[in-house]
Amino acid sequence: MTTEPHSFPRRHARTQRFTLGAPRSFTVAPDGSRVVFLRSGSGTDRANSLWVLDVEEGGERLAADPRALLGGASEDLSPEERARRERSREGGASIVGYATDSAVELASFALSGRLFAAELRAGTARELPAPGPVIDPRPSPDGRHVAYVARGALRVVGAEGEGDRALAEPESENVSYGLAEFIAAEEMGRSRGFWWAPESDRLLMARVDDTPVQRWWIADPAHPEREPQRVPYPAAGTGNAEVRLFVVGLDGLRTEVTWDRGRFPYLAHVHWSAAGAPLLLVQARDQRSQLILAVDADSGATRMVHADEDRTWLDLFPGVPCWSPSGQLVRIADEGGARVLAVGDRPLTGAQLHVRAVLDVSEHDVLISASAGAEAAGEAETGQVHVYRVNELGVERVSQEPGVHAAVRAGTVTVLVSATLNRPGSRAQVLRDGKPTRTVPSYAEDPGMSPRVTLTEGGARRVPCAVLMPRDYDGDTPLPVLMDPYGGPHGQRVVASHNAHLTSQWFADQGFAVVVADGRGTPGRSPAWEKAVHHDFTRSLDDQVEALEDLAKRHPLDLSRVAIRGWSYGGWLAGLAVLRRPDVFHAGIAGAPVTDWALYDTHYTERYLGTPAEHPESYAKSSLVTAEGLSSPAEPHRPLMIVHGLADDNVVVAHALRLSSALLAAGRPHEVLPLSGVTHITPQEQVAENLLLLQVDFLKRSLGMTTA
């Protein structure tokens, strides 16, 4: 399929959704003198370099250039590093992550499986001799050592390259030290497996044994000469990896950290700062109870600091639990129907805010990100996320313009990253004492279009919605509708951000009224809203229908021609829509859909549906392959396109194949588009571009629209 060289699909794919060239991964020095960040050289350059911004003078200097460090050689990634990037949905190249010492003077990073260190004041970088392939190098707080993982062993080397040695080596091929297991990285937000002591004399180290995890095979049918990849995958109701934790000294002597791992097998979060003993957050497998434990680093014994229970599930939040500088416990909790910030025994926020993450904790305040709480939310606040300073005296909003904001802070300097509806991309401002002093330049490309989007609410439940019309549409003629949701946990799509709506706008410009709806289960409103899908994911579909029918009363929507498309959870939702509600939806595109929730992982699926053995009815109701009335000849059979990457190790292609087999047995028309070599994300430029074009063609054919 050919297309003009500068079409939106091609530019969208080439720029990785217009994110390349934008500064990212900020670190602020504690003295406020410099800001460290990653950025590629242009809006089409995937290779990130390490940069340092002088806050006072405003000048930038290049601290590490991957092309120079590799001598022009291409990047060579180990399977372990590819897996780490897949878990974090990382589409960039070269320096995609780094860590620093406490003074932010030394940074370390892996590049093509080799170990490098950068002197951030001098702006120089050097390679440290180390056995590879190197994964996740992290300097000690005092900057004298760098710890890293290579071939499942946790190793340490001097900052000048001396004394490299293993602190712990795997006892078998199923054991690793210092790495996060699959579900920790994929579902818990814990990408790390080791943590330095603030005194730099020892580390906390995770030992992962995935022997109990069943093995799956992921093959590439397009290359039958290649051996299939054998991967441990903890499907719902099956065995998890065994995770233990040790304190290990620089001499390799270790002490095991003890807690009731039988009752609380999930190690969800680790925090170690100078403000107190190491903190662990451990969860029960059903995620209805959890403990915050303090660790005696000498003996390995633990004591309970706090316990939580919830009759549905307990969520995990970035940045917590942690100690404040004064030694008080900082956490986020669901209390009184709201999601609140608690410091010590006292909640510092109430129902006005829905707290999302803790960004920084100082002796004076806590920096958080939050959206408007259920009681305070209204149509004017739809899709907004702000940064706030919170202490016992009250709450102060740091971000001012309507939009989606995040921040990184140290001392008096904050980097505020802001996206708005009326400005492409994001803007990174450096604030000192709350006042803007610098803007970090971005080289991201301008998309060349501005979404014609209305943020609103739909239905009695006030479902957050975005409605997008063609940019050249000025009439009242009802348009065919394309529902474009994610619609599930962790996936807010209705946001007050320009670039978030670019693909939806492109579909709108093809002749559709595009509707994005964030129903129950999606984040951002209240604990009750998020937990309403407990044991029943199909409520997500109910809210799509309710929002659509209500919006049609206020917008020119042709309800006789309604299609739906989505990816991952959104792909499952699209498949569910055409199978369960063919009276509403007339065509669907299911991208990488979870068709049988018993094939998805433990930590995610069991949180919402329980285990397949204990709650088979929940799995049956939410499944596409056992869909109620799937083979009924009385229902209209709606066109369905199923798209799936054959290399997907998150939602494996067995989901698509089982759905296709079930549809074939039921005599239901459908199309299957296999993507060879593609994982759960589609970074390949031509694949991503043509996938958009093929979807438009399918939608127009299915809804009887002209394709000329």
Side-chain angles (χ1 to χ4, degrees), residues 566-569 571-572 590-594 642-645 648 651 655 679-680:
W567 196 267
S568 197
Y569 190 98
W572 165 82
V594 180
I642 306 166
V643 185
H644 217 120
D648 197 333
V651 183
H655 287 273
T679 61
H680 201 56

Side-chain angles (χ1 to χ4, degrees), residues 280-281 290-294 303-309 329 331 333 335 344-345:
L280 314 180
L281 175 61
Q290 65 186 23
L291 301 177
I292 299 174
L293 304 173
R303 62 177 175 85
M304 187 180 73
V305 178
H306 184 82
D308 287 301
E309 291 189 359
L329 180 66
R331 59 190 179 90
E335 296 181 358
D345 296 327

Side-chain angles (χ1 to χ4, degrees), residues 179-203:
L179 295 177
E181 73 276 22
F182 175 92
I183 56 171
E186 182 69 41
E187 309 297 0
M188 301 181 200
R190 177 172 67 78
S191 60
R192 303 174 56 180
F194 68 90
W195 300 262
W196 277 102
E199 299 82 12
S200 302
D201 59 340
R202 48 190 169 178
L203 305 94

Side-chain angles (χ1 to χ4, degrees), residues 212-214 233-240 285 598 602 606 611-612:
V213 183
Q214 64 183 1
Y233 192 92
T238 69
N240 278 313
R285 177 150 178 171
T602 53
E606 293 172 10
T611 64

Side-chain angles (χ1 to χ4, degrees), residues 34 74 84 253 258 297 332 361 543 568 596 598 621 633 658 665:
R34 58 197 170 277
S74 59
R84 278 173 54 84
L253 294 177
T258 58
I332 296 172
V361 182
D543 289 359
S568 197
D596 182 352
K621 187 172 185 180
R658 291 189 184 187

Side-chain angles (χ1 to χ4, degrees), residues 48 50 63-76 94-101 105-120 124-139 145-148 157-161 164:
N48 289 291
L50 186 65
D65 180 353
R67 293 178 175 88
L69 293 174
L70 293 179
S74 59
E75 191 176 21
D76 181 22
S94 298
I95 308 175
V96 299
Y98 68 95
T100 73
D101 61 354
E105 295 183 349
L106 179 74
S108 64
F109 55 91
L111 185 58
S112 202
R114 294 152 57 185
L115 176 60
F116 292 87
E119 298 287 350
L120 298 174
T124 59
R126 62 186 183 276
E127 183 173 3
L128 302 181
V134 170
I135 296 175
D136 195 26
R138 294 180 177 272
H145 296 90
V146 178
Y148 64 96
V157 63
E160 301 298 327
D164 183 273

